[in-house]
Amino acid sequence: MPNPLRRMPVAVAAALLALAMACGPQTAGSDRALAAQLKAQAEAWDQAILRKDAQAIADNVSADFRHIAKTGDMADRAAFLKDLLSPDLVIHPYTVEDFDVRIYGDCALLCGRTRMTGTYQGRPFKSHYRYIDTYVRQDGRWRVCSVQITAMPE
């Protein structure tokens, strides 16, 4: 089969190459903008969790949400929200380290590491973990559909 690119005029090939190069940075730029948007959304979610803002927490979670704990236990959306909003749980302010966003079309993976402290039923706790939050774009909106936590040594 003949190669149609061999018969393409040099000017046309150059124009196509220039067009392809021009499109590359725009795509990368839009990914950077989306990554910044998702980072801000994740930070707002963290703050909502600290405030126990039930509506803001729930609004960021998909209907089919799943949480895989560091023990391997799995919780659905209702159980996750109930546990997180329990008055027995108090989470102190925390920061996320090693934060990273990877975007794959309508799916984004937000990863990081957190050292969390607080109290549960009046008893202090410490937790050091790495996590991955999977966000999906549904109806034009990004929501967390899955969270998985892996314990790290103190």
Side-chain angles (χ1 to χ4, degrees):
M1 173 182 256
N3 183 345
L5 297 177
R6 285 191 179 151
R7 293 182 301 208
M8 186 180 297
V10 172
V12 173
L16 288 174
L17 178 60
L19 180 61
M21 290 174 66
C23 291
Q26 291 173 355
T27 301
S30 66
D31 280 354
R32 280 192 297 274
L34 178 54
Q37 172 194 326
L38 290 169
K39 181 179 185 199
Q41 185 173 336
E43 289 170 349
W45 195 43
D46 287 345
Q47 293 304 309
I49 288 169
L50 291 173
R51 291 189 317 271
K52 292 194 179 272
D53 182 337
Q55 189 63 53
I57 296 167
D59 284 349
N60 197 53
V61 176
S62 70
D64 62 346
F65 174 86
R66 294 292 181 268
H67 174 256
I68 301 172
K70 62 185 177 184
T71 60
D73 294 332
M74 192 158 64
D76 65 8
R77 183 180 197 270
F80 176 78
L81 294 173
K82 180 182 173 193
D83 290 346
L84 200 56
L85 295 169
S86 169
D88 289 338
L89 176 64
V90 175
I91 299 172
H92 299 151
Y94 58 92
T95 58
V96 173
E97 300 168 355
D98 301 331
F99 186 78
D100 181 51
V101 177
R102 291 178 290 150
I103 300 166
Y104 302 95
D106 287 337
C107 179
L109 305 175
L110 283 64
C111 308
R113 189 170 43 86
T114 299
R115 292 178 193 272
M116 186 177 287
T117 61
T119 59
Y120 182 71
Q121 296 179 338
R123 295 187 182 113
F125 73 84
K126 280 185 182 182
S127 181
H128 183 203
Y129 61 88
R130 189 170 298 280
Y131 71 89
I132 186 163
D133 292 353
T134 303
Y135 278 68
V136 292
R137 186 175 7 218
Q138 297 173 321
D139 302 322
R141 206 161 154 228
W142 289 92
R143 290 188 174 86
V144 181
C145 68
S146 180
V147 170
Q148 183 163 356
I149 293 174
T150 301
M152 295 185 66
E154 291 294 328

